[in-house]
Amino acid sequence: MMKRISIILILLLLTLSGYTQKVALVLSGGGAKATAHIGVLKALEENEIPIDYIIGNSMGALIAGLYASGFSPEEIEFSLTQPGLYDFRKGDTKRNYYFFQQHENDASMLNIPFSFDKGLELNLPISFYNVTDLDYLIMEYFACPAAACNYNFDSLMIPFRCVATDIDSSQLVVFRDGDLAMAVRSSLTFPFFIKPIKVKDKLLFDGGIYDNFPVDVAIEEFNPDFIIGSKAVNNYSSPDEDDVVSQLQNMLMKKADFRLDSKRGVLIEINSGTENIFQFSKVQQYIDSGYVATIKTIPQLKKMLGSGLDSTSLHAKRKLFIKDKPQMLIGEVKVKGVNPKQEEYFIKSIIRPEKHEDIYDFKKVYKRLVANENVRSIYPSLSYNVATKKFDVCLDINTTDPFNIGFGGYISSSGVNEGYLDLGLRLLGKTSKEIVVSSYFGTFYNSFSGYFKFEKPGIIPIDLKVGGLVSRKNYFSNTRYFYEDDFPAYIIIDENYADVSLGIPIGLSHSLRAGLSNININYIYYPDNYFTREDTADQSNFYYLNPYIEFERSNLNRKQYATKGSKFFLGFNYYTGNEHFIPGTKAEGVEEYTQSLSFFVIKTKYEQYFNISKPFDFGVTGELEYSDRPLLNNYVSSLLIADQYDPIPVTKTLFLENYRANAYGGLGVRFIFHIIRNLDVRVEGYYYVPYQKIVSTERSSDVEYSKQFSYQYVIGNLQLVYYTPIGPVGISTNYIDKVGDKFSFLFNFGYLIFNKSRYYR
């Protein structure tokens, strides 16, 4: 107690003996460029320039709020230059956080969610940036300072104000008290880029719409003797007739008045370049620019202000404020924005909220909710409960619309062209129920599938999934070489199944699923390429009962052409049933028969990406399979029931006899060079070894195994990929060790993804 009184006395004495002018620091907005204000603060502190009040807008509000909350400039710089902090550009958090609830990858490129209450609502991938991580981080930063000042911004280490815009009433909103994190977050909401939040039922946006340099707010709120203004950006240039963004900026953002009375203020003008305000890769450069610009004004500031606040006094003031911050412990968790039944679902989804007192532990819960397929958006806030000495959590959740229509497909120069359509219905109450039907249609692949999923939240969430598939792959439609090839080109695979399974999550990125499938696969094929219209094809019809258990994890950043994250799959499948063989006219001397079949398949896949340097990523892949599948009565049917190694998209459309085996291993490396944003060069190579290759004998219809490890093959791929807002565009050269031309050139647009087979895993 005596020590604290001493610190207070020191502060009073230093204040009385020092300067008498009250100084306000005003920080403009400016996106990434406004991080230059960190350099401004560093230079001002180093030279003991006093700051009695601090006011900011947008990114300036974030930095001003942190400084007012007791963070030193060095701490602010460390916090706002963390790797990955600004990776919110069009991020897909649902792919990264909760694999248990992820949909299987499909070829959708555009989704339209709707309800009968709201009507159709187009949900393009070019919508708001994903700032869910940033929301949580802001909440973490400001919860304790807000509690320490009893939610009165005048009682922060430095009295603070920030501004936002209420577009409904066309008024500037000045935050003086309340939820500090919410105030800063409101000021950060740049239109069309960051999703707005509601404060007291008002939808608020960036204060820069009306006042990007709130000097007038500083005067009205604090009436300072002196103002230091930090200008990170200029006003937007005149609109360009060919630039929609510049037109929107000029329509939405009022030009700021950066003038200051030279007798009672100094303007620090920062040279932040001519690039747009979203160049977050240059944050450190902007900070340095702010520091340099401020150092140039220090002589003028010292001349006008006289003696400043010495560092001992400032550090003591900061230490005293930090000491008053309460410990960050999580208390009660509340959910709003949903009906009572939905609230119960989300509370149960949190899984023992009383066990998540630590803020970092609770972040896992938050991420799980963010990734929940029933959540469209979520905004977290903390309020200090004096009685429990813990922070109560309020999660403002906006649920997804019940209906969704998805469109997509794939267009390529190879002749494989596919369309995709799905329709989904989601019903949310105490449990989550979902029905989805989808269809692929095209030259190579056609299918119709559907499933019903029932999810029950709890300590161990569980889902029950019932689904089915009817599909056909027609390799003959995709064949470029015919009479000159020895291997048959006429192959059609029909796969139909009904499936029921139970799944549980293991952590955020892992899922364990066990189930039972009833599978029918019908192969239609000729043993060679020499047939006429009068000939009939062989048919091998298989009926299986398939119990299985599969463990899978994934946090890849894209459903195709990933560059970050990892994926792992381990599955055990047992198949028991029979084969019904119907010979065609080319199968001389072979009678129709039915035989029983039983075998198992153990398969594992691995994929991981590493960042080597800023423009380079490196990926590795591995795949192993072992099965005791028997050889059948002929070479082609034995290949048909074997699995194929498909490390690149184009191999999924080809029947490759050299890459089909009952036991094999494959390794791959992927070098990815990021030329510019959304444009990559990918160089990929794969090495494949069948344990025993399936080979034909002197009689081409007969079949046997080769010696162990006596064959090996490679696959190569060089591709230029551009990621458009709705899907990837690629130009590639491929090398595949197959009959005919081993090199091929391909242009493609969209996703080459098919419904998952229950037989080919």
Side-chain angles (χ1 to χ4, degrees), residues 288-488:
D288 295 339
S289 297
Y291 181 85
V292 170
T294 307
I295 290 296
K296 293 178 181 178
T297 66
I298 293 299
Q300 183 183 1
L301 286 170
K302 286 187 173 181
K303 180 179 179 181
M304 299 179 75
L305 291 172
S307 59
L309 181 67
D310 67 82
S311 58
T312 304
S313 174
L314 179 61
H315 293 159
K317 185 178 181 181
R318 182 172 285 133
K319 186 176 180 180
L320 184 63
F321 181 79
I322 292 172
K323 189 176 180 180
D324 285 336
K325 291 182 182 179
Q327 185 180 1
M328 178 73 80
L329 294 175
I330 299 299
E332 185 180 358
V333 179
K334 299 178 182 178
V335 174
K336 72 174 187 177
V338 296
N339 65 43
K341 289 183 178 180
Q342 294 170 340
E343 180 182 359
E344 183 176 339
Y345 168 85
F346 287 118
I347 291 294
K348 287 184 177 179
S349 297
I350 291 172
I351 310 172
R352 293 183 179 177
E354 71 275 5
K355 299 294 184 181
H356 300 285
E357 284 194 344
D358 182 81
I359 186 68
Y360 301 105
D361 187 32
F362 187 78
K363 188 173 184 178
K364 296 177 183 178
V365 175
Y366 172 72
K367 285 187 173 184
R368 180 173 292 186
L369 287 176
V370 166
N372 191 299
E373 292 292 342
N374 295 290
V375 173
R376 179 200 291 264
S377 64
I378 183 170
Y379 182 75
S381 59
L382 293 174
S383 60
Y384 188 63
N385 188 322
V386 178
T388 62
K389 295 185 178 180
K390 294 180 180 180
F391 287 88
D392 293 335
V393 182
C394 180
L395 301 171
D396 190 354
I397 295 176
N398 182 14
T399 59
T400 54
D401 287 330
F403 293 95
N404 182 81
I405 299 176
F407 302 93
Y410 179 80
I411 300 171
S412 76
S413 58
S414 69
V416 176
N417 298 295
E418 303 290 328
Y420 174 80
L421 175 67
D422 72 48
L423 175 64
L425 169 64
R426 188 183 300 276
L427 302 172
L428 180 63
K430 292 182 180 180
T431 59
S432 174
K433 295 167 282 290
E434 182 183 22
I435 300 172
V436 176
V437 292
S438 64
S439 177
Y440 287 86
F441 43 93
T443 54
F444 169 68
Y445 181 73
N446 289 273
S447 75
F448 179 83
S449 69
Y451 69 82
F452 167 77
K453 186 168 75 171
F454 171 87
E455 181 202 340
K456 188 178 187 304
I459 296 174
I460 301 178
I462 188 168
D463 77 40
L464 170 67
K465 188 174 182 181
V466 179
L469 171 76
V470 177
S471 70
R472 165 169 284 197
K473 284 185 178 179
N474 187 346
Y475 289 94
F476 186 61
S477 68
N478 189 34
T479 301
R480 293 294 182 89
Y481 301 94
F482 186 42
Y483 292 110
E484 65 187 42
D485 298 343
D486 293 328
F487 189 76

Side-chain angles (χ1 to χ4, degrees), residues 41 45 51 63-71 73 76 157-158 318:
L41 290 170
E45 272 208 8
I51 301 173
I63 294 166
L66 289 171
Y67 191 73
S69 298
F71 289 80
I76 299 173
M157 186 191 87
I158 297 174
R318 182 172 285 133

Side-chain angles (χ1 to χ4, degrees), residues 35 38 59 62-63 66-67 70-86 88 133-134 137-138 140-142 280 283-284 287 325 360:
T35 55
I38 301 172
M59 182 62 82
L62 174 60
I63 294 166
L66 289 171
Y67 191 73
F71 289 80
S72 69
E74 290 72 23
E75 288 171 330
I76 299 173
E77 180 177 15
F78 177 80
S79 298
L80 299 188
T81 55
Q82 289 298 299
L85 176 63
Y86 303 105
F88 48 71
D133 279 352
L134 187 62
L137 192 65
I138 291 172
E140 280 185 283
Y141 283 154
F142 292 114
F280 287 98
V283 165
Q284 191 60 58
I287 294 172
K325 291 182 182 179
Y360 301 105

Side-chain angles (χ1 to χ4, degrees), residues 112 292 343 357 370 469 497 555 566 701 747:
I112 304 176
V292 170
E343 180 182 359
E357 284 194 344
V370 166
L469 171 76
Y497 67 74
N555 59 2
S566 64
S701 61
F747 167 82

Side-chain angles (χ1 to χ4, degrees), residues 409-676:
Y410 179 80
I411 300 171
S412 76
S413 58
S414 69
V416 176
N417 298 295
E418 303 290 328
Y420 174 80
L421 175 67
D422 72 48
L423 175 64
L425 169 64
R426 188 183 300 276
L427 302 172
L428 180 63
K430 292 182 180 180
T431 59
S432 174
K433 295 167 282 290
E434 182 183 22
I435 300 172
V436 176
V437 292
S438 64
S439 177
Y440 287 86
F441 43 93
T443 54
F444 169 68
Y445 181 73
N446 289 273
S447 75
F448 179 83
S449 69
Y451 69 82
F452 167 77
K453 186 168 75 171
F454 171 87
E455 181 202 340
K456 188 178 187 304
I459 296 174
I460 301 178
I462 188 168
D463 77 40
L464 170 67
K465 188 174 182 181
V466 179
L469 171 76
V470 177
S471 70
R472 165 169 284 197
K473 284 185 178 179
N474 187 346
Y475 289 94
F476 186 61
S477 68
N478 189 34
T479 301
R480 293 294 182 89
Y481 301 94
F482 186 42
Y483 292 110
E484 65 187 42
D485 298 343
D486 293 328
F487 189 76
Y490 191 96
I491 293 174
I492 294 174
I493 301 176
D494 294 328
E495 179 180 357
N496 314 306
Y497 67 74
D499 174 68
V500 58
S501 64
L502 290 173
I504 60 171
I506 301 176
L508 289 177
S509 301
H510 304 70
S511 176
L512 182 65
R513 182 166 294 278
L516 181 67
S517 294
N518 188 343
I519 306 173
N520 169 231
I521 302 182
N522 187 36
Y523 300 103
I524 305 171
Y525 57 94
Y526 285 100
D528 56 42
N529 285 329
Y530 305 99
F531 57 87
T532 66
R533 293 181 181 273
E534 286 72 32
D535 288 321
T536 59
D538 294 348
Q539 290 191 52
S540 295
N541 209 338
F542 296 85
Y543 297 90
Y544 297 117
L545 197 62
N546 165 221
Y548 62 89
I549 183 167
E550 295 175 340
F551 174 82
E552 193 167 1
R553 71 172 299 275
S554 177
N555 59 2
L556 297 177
N557 64 326
R558 294 191 179 106
K559 57 185 176 183
Q560 205 162 49
Y561 307 119
T563 58
K564 293 182 177 65
S566 64
K567 183 176 182 178
F568 176 77
F569 171 85
L570 176 62
F572 175 84
N573 283 262
Y574 183 75
Y575 301 90
T576 182
N578 62 71
E579 175 200 8
H580 181 202
F581 176 74
I582 303 173
T585 54
K586 303 287 289 182
E588 297 178 0
V590 181
E591 300 293 331
E592 180 177 349
Y593 68 84
T594 299
Q595 67 171 346
S596 297
L597 290 175
S598 293
F599 56 90
F600 68 86
V601 178
I602 299 174
K603 189 167 191 173
T604 183
K605 296 180 180 180
Y606 174 72
E607 181 178 353
Q608 173 116 32
Y609 295 89
F610 308 89
N611 180 246
I612 305 303
S613 62
K614 189 173 181 181
F616 288 100
D617 288 320
F618 173 71
V620 294
T621 68
E623 186 171 322
L624 287 172
E625 179 177 316
Y626 181 78
S627 172
D628 65 344
R629 290 188 192 94
L631 295 176
L632 300 182
N633 76 317
N634 66 70
Y635 174 59
V636 178
S637 62
S638 297
L639 283 175
L640 284 166
I641 68 166
D643 248 345
Q644 180 167 301
Y645 179 57
D646 289 322
I648 59 177
V650 69
T651 58
K652 301 178 191 300
T653 67
L654 303 172
F655 191 91
L656 302 170
E657 58 177 320
N658 290 341
Y659 299 91
R660 301 183 81 93
N662 291 322
Y664 65 85
L667 293 173
V669 292
R670 296 171 177 173
F671 299 93
I672 305 160
F673 175 66
H674 307 288
I675 301 175
I676 57 174

